[in-house]
């Protein structure tokens, strides 16, 4: 597989094409430990996951990317200094998610305490790869594409499994404090990649 081909180059999507992002993420996270904790019933998980991702895409600064037809997808946010990571609250989660809302609210509360607030940054809100394509480098392609354009910003995310934590570590992320343990559920690792310092030689060459 050649991740340098046009087929495998992450591309920004918007409007109606964002439906494909919802489908990719829903399929990618059906067996994910954190999502399974949020939505224990499998039918509910399949039905409600898109509503959760829609709330991310509704953020005014949301960026969505796809690889291939529906091989992988990512959603990035760009919080300003002092801004809540997901913007202003929207719908009452209890009206949308019913009995699952309490776990969603718990997750949001625990992670909000760990989210950087002192500086503008990029936030990888969600990234998933279709089950049949996992392990083929698509996650790395999605990461590299956006990290290469971070333009001096720090980047924050929460890794939801040891495997994803290892992937992010390979791309320069380090643990940001202690992990977060969900009540009766799995562990998440807040991670941070510091802003990259421009190469002095490159700066000199541009003067």
């Amino acid at each position: 597989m050649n991740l340098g081909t046009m087929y495998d180059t992450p591309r920004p999507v918007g409007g109606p094409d964002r439906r494909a992002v919802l489908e990719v993420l829903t399929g990618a996270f059906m067996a994910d430990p954190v999502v399974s904790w949020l939505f224990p019933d499998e039918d509910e998980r399949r039905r409600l996951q898109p509503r959760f991702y829609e709330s991310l895409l509704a953020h005014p600064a949301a960026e969505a990317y796809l690889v291939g037809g529906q091989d992988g997808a990512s959603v990035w946010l760009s919080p300003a200094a002092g801004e809540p990571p997901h913007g202003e609250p929207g719908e009452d989660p209890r009206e949308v998610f019913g009995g699952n809302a309490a776990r969603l609210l718990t997750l949001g509360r625990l992670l909000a305490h760990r989210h950087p607030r002192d500086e503008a940054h990029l936030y990888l809100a969600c990234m998933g790869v279709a089950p049949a394509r996992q392990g083929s480098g698509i996650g790395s392609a999605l990461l590299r594409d956006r990290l290469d354009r971070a333009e001096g910003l720090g980047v924050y995310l929460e890794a939801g499994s040891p495997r994803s934590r290892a992937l992010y570590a390979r791309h320069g992320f380090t643990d940001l404090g202690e992990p977060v343990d969900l009540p009766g559920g799995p562990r998440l690792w807040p991670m941070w990649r510091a802003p990259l310092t421009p190469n002095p030689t490159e700066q000199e060459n541009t003067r």
Side-chain angles (χ1 to χ4, degrees):
M1 176 177 174
N2 180 4
L3 287 174
T5 65
M6 288 297 294
Y7 177 82
D8 293 307
T9 299
R11 64 186 188 282
V13 296
D17 290 338
R18 288 191 170 189
R19 174 58 55 181
V21 173
L22 302 180
E23 294 176 1
V24 171
L25 295 176
T26 298
F29 287 101
M30 278 300 295
D32 177 77
V34 175
V35 175
S36 297
W37 178 83
L38 287 171
F39 309 114
D41 180 82
E42 185 174 343
D43 292 337
E44 289 277 279
R45 194 182 314 148
R46 191 177 302 278
R47 181 176 68 86
L48 292 175
Q49 271 197 84
R51 299 297 301 273
F52 176 74
Y53 304 131
E54 283 173 350
S55 70
L56 298 178
L57 292 173
H59 191 287
E63 304 173 26
Y65 296 88
L66 275 174
V67 169
Q70 294 189 10
D71 292 332
S74 60
V75 179
W76 298 77
L77 306 179
S78 303
E83 180 184 22
H86 297 293
E88 296 301 320
E91 298 175 282
D92 184 338
R94 290 167 293 190
E95 295 180 3
V96 179
F97 298 103
N100 303 284
R103 287 182 294 274
L104 277 164
L105 291 169
T106 296
L107 175 68
R109 175 176 54 81
L110 291 173
L111 294 181
H113 288 300
R114 306 297 298 278
H115 201 110
R117 293 290 188 94
D118 295 337
E119 59 184 289
H121 60 281
L122 285 177
Y123 173 34
L124 177 56
C126 194
M127 183 177 75
V129 176
R133 304 301 300 276
Q134 291 176 5
S136 62
I138 289 174
S140 288
L142 284 161
L143 274 174
R144 280 195 303 267
D145 177 72
R146 190 62 186 90
L147 293 177
D148 286 348
R149 296 178 288 107
E151 299 176 350
L153 291 174
V155 187
Y156 174 76
L157 55 81
E158 298 107 1
S161 70
R163 180 177 179 180
S164 63
R165 181 187 179 207
L167 168 66
Y168 298 134
R170 292 196 295 272
H171 288 268
F173 288 85
T174 57
D175 292 338
L176 186 64
E178 295 297 314
V180 173
D181 290 311
L182 299 176
R187 170 171 287 187
L188 295 97
W189 290 266
M191 303 185 78
W192 175 255
R193 193 188 81 151
L196 297 183
T197 303
N199 186 312
T201 302
E202 292 179 355
Q203 286 188 312
E204 191 68 33
N205 291 339
T206 59
R207 291 175 183 171

